[in-house]
Amino acid sequence: MTKQEIIEYLSGGDDTQLFRRSSQIRQSVHGSTTFLRGLIEFSNRCVCDCLYCGIRASNSKVERYDLTLEEVLCATQKAYQKGYRSVVLQAGEKRNSLNTHRVTEMVTKIKERYGKEFSITLSCGVQSHAVLKEWKEAGADRYLLRIESSSKELFKRIHPPEIDYTERCNAISTLKELGYITGSGMMIGLPWQTIENLADDLLWLQQREIDMCGMGPYVEHSDAPLSLHTSEYSNPERVALTLRCIALLRIMMPHINIASSTALGTLDAEARKRAIIIGANVMMPCMTPQRARGSYNLYEGKIFQNI
Ligand code: SAH
């Protein structure tokens, strides 16, 4: 797919043809199978101050929590009993030895209980080579680290100066080197984001040969400073763009895993299902215990995706 073709489809050039093509590939490569991964948001403490995110370090309105090891194991057990064979352990970013050790312990215990076949995805932000290696050796199979935007300029505008674009790209390369099944992705409908930016994001994911992708609409959070800048895309436009991105990526990378994101379900419950038909093959229903659910508010109105 050329950049020009991508731009045309993203602009709504021919949705009928795009979705027909992508659904056919989804069906012929993945059949009607959709993988379920139980999402356990084990901590909302974060050292980063991303301008779009509701749990950014400087948002003092958030009640901070850390799940105990027991709570994580209990949530995993619930997922297992429901028939899940995969969990995603997600949290705000922390870079200290206590955090490293806690994650190692969670991964080790889950693998001990449910065996090698039970897959663990981590989503714990940018970490050093040594930390990522330790978690891999403990048994983690997959890692999700979105680039958020592959445009250096846009990345800079939505992050504080200390969050470095190159460092994030390098971390994604490290994940691949260490043998993780590596996921990335971007937010769609950000202020200043152009259709060309999104086309470049899709090409970036393809060039990087990522194995999984989670991309969803950007949704404002009133306590995050990016909400002061108006996005030129309405919510329905962000939903439409997200569906087009999913369909395009399915055509560009037929074999990868693509998630139908919670953010998409938050803006439009029907679109979440539509995403599955036109290209996505992964859903990550929320398994975070009740006591913590309301505190992992990345954006306003976040739903607890159930199936
Ligand atoms: N600390 C981890 C997990 C971050 S939360 C990490 O850095 O990877 C997971 C994802 O939520 C982020 O990568 C981002 O793409 C998404 N997210 C955060 N704030 C958002 C918002 N306001 N709207 C939509 N998605 C958002």
Side-chain angles (χ1 to χ4, degrees), residues 52-53 90-91 93 123 125 145-146 148 187 217-219 298-299:
Y52 45 84
C53 183
Q90 187 177 90
E93 200 165 298
S123 173
L145 186 59
R146 288 187 181 178
E148 315 297 2
M187 281 180 288
Y218 159 66
V219 185
L298 304 171
Y299 45 83

Side-chain angles (χ1 to χ4, degrees), residues 46 48 50 52-55 90-93 123-126 143-148 168 185-187 214 216-221 224 263 296 298-300:
C46 191
C48 299
C50 304
Y52 45 84
C53 183
I55 62 165
Q90 187 177 90
E93 200 165 298
S123 173
C124 307
V126 173
Y143 204 103
L144 289 175
L145 186 59
R146 288 187 181 178
I147 188 65
E148 315 297 2
R168 188 168 286 237
M186 71 273 194
M187 281 180 288
Y218 159 66
V219 185
E220 285 83 358
H221 191 296
Y296 200 85
L298 304 171
Y299 45 83
E300 234 116 73

Side-chain angles (χ1 to χ4, degrees), residues 36 76-85 285-287 293 306-307:
L36 295 177
T76 308
Q77 174 69 12
K78 280 197 181 137
Y80 188 83
Q81 278 165 350
K82 285 188 173 205
Y84 291 56
R85 292 298 175 263
C286 183
M287 294 282 157
R293 284 188 173 197
N306 287 314
I307 49 161

